[in-house]
Amino acid sequence: MAAPSPLPRFLILLLAVTSSAFAAAAATGAPVVGEDYVRPPPARCHRKALLSLFPWSKKEESAASSDPQQVHISLAGEKHMRITWVTNDNSVPSVVDYGTKESTYTMKSQGESTSYSYLLYSSGKIHHVVIGPLEDNTIYYYRCGGQGPEFQFKTPPSQFPLSLAVVGDLGQTSWTTSTLNHIKQCEHDMLLLPGDLSYADYMQHLWDSFGTLVEPLASNRPWMVTEGNHEKEHIPFFESGFQSYNARWKMPYEESGSRSNLYYSFEVAGAHIIMLGSYTDYDDSSDQYAWLKADLAKVDRKRTPWLIVLLHVPWYNSNWAHQGEGDSMMASMEPLLYAAHVDMVIAGHVHAYERAERVYNSRPDPCGAVHITIGDGGNREGLARRYRNPKPAWSVFREASFGHGELKIVNSTHAHWTWHRNDDEEPVRTDDVWINSLAGSGCIQEGSRDRESRKILMSP
Ligand SMILES: *[C@@H]1O[C@H](CO)[C@@H](O)[C@H](O)[C@H]1NC(C)=O
Ligand SMILES: [Fe+2]
């Protein structure tokens, strides 16, 4: 190749990457002054990742470069599923063959593909194929790109009961592996992830290894995710941010009227689920705010009695880690969620578990949302162990352990929430509570309070 040597530019880039990586670490991991919570240093795999930035380090090649890798699925509007996978071979077509009998494909869909470059890294071909209409609660067998192994998934039910697995700040450590094993053991229709997926942190091949790690689960049940700070990967003057996340984890934002992959909503059985973006604009003049207001105004609690919001940075957090980081988003958006009678708000970011009772405006409120922080999937940064004392009035349960949550929505009024600790080899059910939906409460009524709520959501 006659191209000029990339080395000088490469050194500048390397400097930019490492300095912004350290800046990011300092911004997110800094202990609050006077407190002794300090995150453990990154695990050894990180050094290997740094080395892989060098152009002469060899990329891992799969057995056949046309075989599908990193297969995962996500809901794509009513009765449709998006199948996403990566191939090293560019000539593989973006088609999915599928059917309800093993090795018998009666249907075929054509999709699209994308790829991206990040510094010296070039991604494989990333395929996105939407298939459907699909039957509810049905097992489908599928094949990606016309070749390679057969995968299967089950579509969610159209009615309660609905089982949701919930995990945040996942990463790819041995803690992650045990969390994923525990999730595999639990019956679930779908997985929800409120941000911080791969912890690639600029090392793009770690997005590939994350895709490989989660494939057994994510090719089998829809994974619905939103972004965290570790998805940003913004480098001033060089990289605009979210390239990898947006290319690889395409969510149904167009289907929900959003103009950004960073926030969207979807419906499953009788639940309306909103994924917000903590790392994009949220003030009352932002696109996200306008979209959220319109989306909330459309919710019909007769059709979807459960209304659940996920985002990365918690609004109710009594851990010293990331204290106050959610305050400005909460000031902007909490009144909208309250007016719409949101049942639950699930966040990540803080590497520990905390459950708050129904709360609004920092005070316990029977018509507010149950807030849960579940950023304890098992990433390499370790746990956030220091809590503020005394415990705030709204905080019910808090513990710094790795684990995952399960939300079993039994019917229009009752859901059972459990949190499973995995410090031990076995998942241990540690927190356990019945949640009653606001749809079945006195909070939503044709009355003056509800007229006020409608006014807030309908105002221009
Ligand atoms: C909903 O489920 C709860 C818990 O199992 C039960 O007590 C309640 O009667 C159910 N409600 C309806 C309307 O079926
Ligand atoms: Fe985070």
Side-chain angles (χ1 to χ4, degrees):
M1 231 171 60
S5 160
L7 205 60
R9 179 158 184 262
F10 171 72
L11 287 174
I12 296 169
L13 293 181
L14 184 65
L15 209 73
V17 177
T18 42
S19 60
S20 56
F22 285 127
T28 56
V32 175
V33 179
E35 294 300 322
D36 58 5
Y37 166 63
V38 178
R39 285 208 166 130
R44 270 186 41 219
C45 68
H46 204 59
R47 252 180 40 217
K48 201 173 119 204
L50 195 67
L51 285 176
S52 74
L53 257 184
F54 291 84
W56 49 86
S57 80
K58 260 187 78 168
K59 251 192 218 165
E60 277 170 49
E61 295 290 332
S62 70
S65 64
S66 52
D67 272 359
Q69 304 167 35
Q70 309 174 47
V71 182
H72 71 85
I73 64 170
S74 47
L75 291 193
E78 216 191 328
K79 294 189 175 297
H80 286 74
M81 198 74 80
R82 179 174 280 111
I83 316 287
T84 299
W85 77 98
V86 178
T87 53
N88 291 340
D89 181 346
N90 254 335
S91 68
V92 174
S94 301
V95 295
V96 169
D97 301 291
Y98 63 104
T100 52
K101 290 205 176 62
E102 247 172 282
S103 320
T104 310
Y105 310 119
T106 52
M107 290 160 283
K108 188 187 197 93
S109 286
Q110 172 93 38
E112 53 179 26
S113 71
T114 186
S115 62
Y116 72 96
S117 298
Y118 190 94
L119 301 181
L120 296 162
Y121 172 94
S122 298
S123 77
K125 186 174 183 180
I126 303 167
H127 307 260
H128 296 291
V129 178
V130 173
I131 64 171
L134 305 171
E135 298 293 320
D136 307 310
N137 220 0
T138 301
I139 293 175
Y140 283 86
Y141 300 87
Y142 65 104
R143 191 177 62 177
C144 302
Q147 61 199 57
E150 178 173 86
F151 295 88
Q152 56 170 282
F153 66 77
K154 188 179 81 62
T155 53
S158 61
Q159 293 174 342
F160 301 127
L162 173 71
S163 296
L164 305 169
V166 185
V167 65
D169 301 64
L170 201 48
Q172 36 190 323
T173 68
S174 50
W175 297 314
T176 311
T177 312
S178 67
T179 300
L180 291 176
N181 280 337
H182 299 163
I183 292 173
K184 200 151 110 195
Q185 287 164 32
C186 86
E187 275 292 318
H188 63 285
D189 299 307
M190 177 180 292
L191 184 138
L192 306 177
L193 201 167
D196 281 358
L197 284 68
S198 70
Y199 284 73
D201 295 334
Y202 312 92
M203 318 302 168
Q204 295 302 306
H205 80 285
L206 289 179
W207 278 104
D208 294 312
S209 54
F210 178 77
T212 304
L213 177 70
V214 303
E215 181 187 85
L217 274 83
S219 62
N220 193 243
R221 291 289 185 278
W223 276 39
M224 307 307 286
V225 306
T226 187
E227 84 283 6
N229 49 309
H230 289 271
E231 275 67 68
K232 270 194 285 188
E233 303 185 308
H234 167 71
I235 303 175
F237 309 114
F238 287 107
E239 301 293 351
S240 59
F242 297 113
Q243 287 101 315
S244 183
Y245 175 72
N246 285 339
R248 294 165 187 268
W249 291 85
K250 185 172 181 186
M251 290 291 123
Y253 67 95
E254 287 144 326
E255 292 86 337
S256 60
S258 157
R259 289 191 294 190
S260 166
N261 192 43
L262 303 180
Y263 49 88
Y264 64 96
S265 69
F266 61 95
E267 291 189 349
V268 55
H272 185 93
I273 302 183
I274 298 178
M275 306 298 258
L276 292 182
S278 294
Y279 296 95
T280 182
D281 292 346
Y282 43 66
D283 58 68
D284 62 9
S285 61
S286 65
D287 267 10
Q288 180 174 208
Y289 185 94
W291 171 82
L292 172 63
K293 202 157 88 165
D295 194 70
L296 288 170
K298 277 188 290 200
V299 175
D300 172 2
R301 295 301 272 273
K302 292 198 177 66
R303 205 161 49 82
T304 54
W306 286 88
L307 180 51
I308 298 169
V309 171
L310 283 89
L311 43 65
H312 190 59
V313 181
W315 294 352
Y316 289 91
N317 164 34
S318 71
N319 195 296
W320 276 115
H322 304 300
Q323 199 38 241
E325 279 181 31
D327 288 359
S328 56
M329 187 179 187
M330 172 168 145
S332 164
M333 290 180 159
E334 194 186 28
L336 291 183
L337 302 196
Y338 188 68
H341 312 292
V342 167
D343 285 301
M344 297 178 75
V345 177
I346 300 172
H349 202 37
V350 174
H351 300 163
Y353 171 72
E354 182 161 24
R355 175 168 58 83
E357 65 176 292
R358 287 194 178 279
V359 59
Y360 176 61
N361 205 12
S362 301
R363 277 186 288 276
D365 183 322
C367 298
V370 172
H371 283 253
I372 286 169
T373 302
I374 189 153
D376 57 348
N379 69 76
R380 62 182 161 71
E381 292 177 337
L383 293 165
R385 295 179 199 279
R386 295 269 310 160
Y387 284 100
R388 300 180 71 164
N389 285 308
K391 192 159 86 166
W394 42 258
S395 181
V396 183
F397 188 106
R398 50 190 198 176
E399 183 179 312
S401 300
F402 295 112
H404 76 277
E406 295 171 25
L407 183 67
K408 299 213 187 305
I409 303 182
V410 176
N411 56 33
S412 62
T413 55
H414 286 65
H416 191 216
W417 167 261
T418 52
W419 175 67
H420 304 252
R421 174 206 293 152
N422 75 353
D423 260 3
D424 320 293
E425 281 300 293
E426 295 296 313
V428 182
R429 183 197 287 188
T430 311
D431 185 27
D432 180 336
V433 65
W434 280 95
I435 297 173
N436 298 328
S437 72
L438 292 182
S441 75
C443 295
I444 307 181
Q445 283 174 342
E446 291 311 315
S448 57
R449 188 181 171 277
D450 223 54
R451 276 198 297 278
E452 277 305 305
S453 299
R454 301 313 296 177
K455 249 195 324 209
I456 294 170
L457 296 177
M458 297 303 190
S459 69

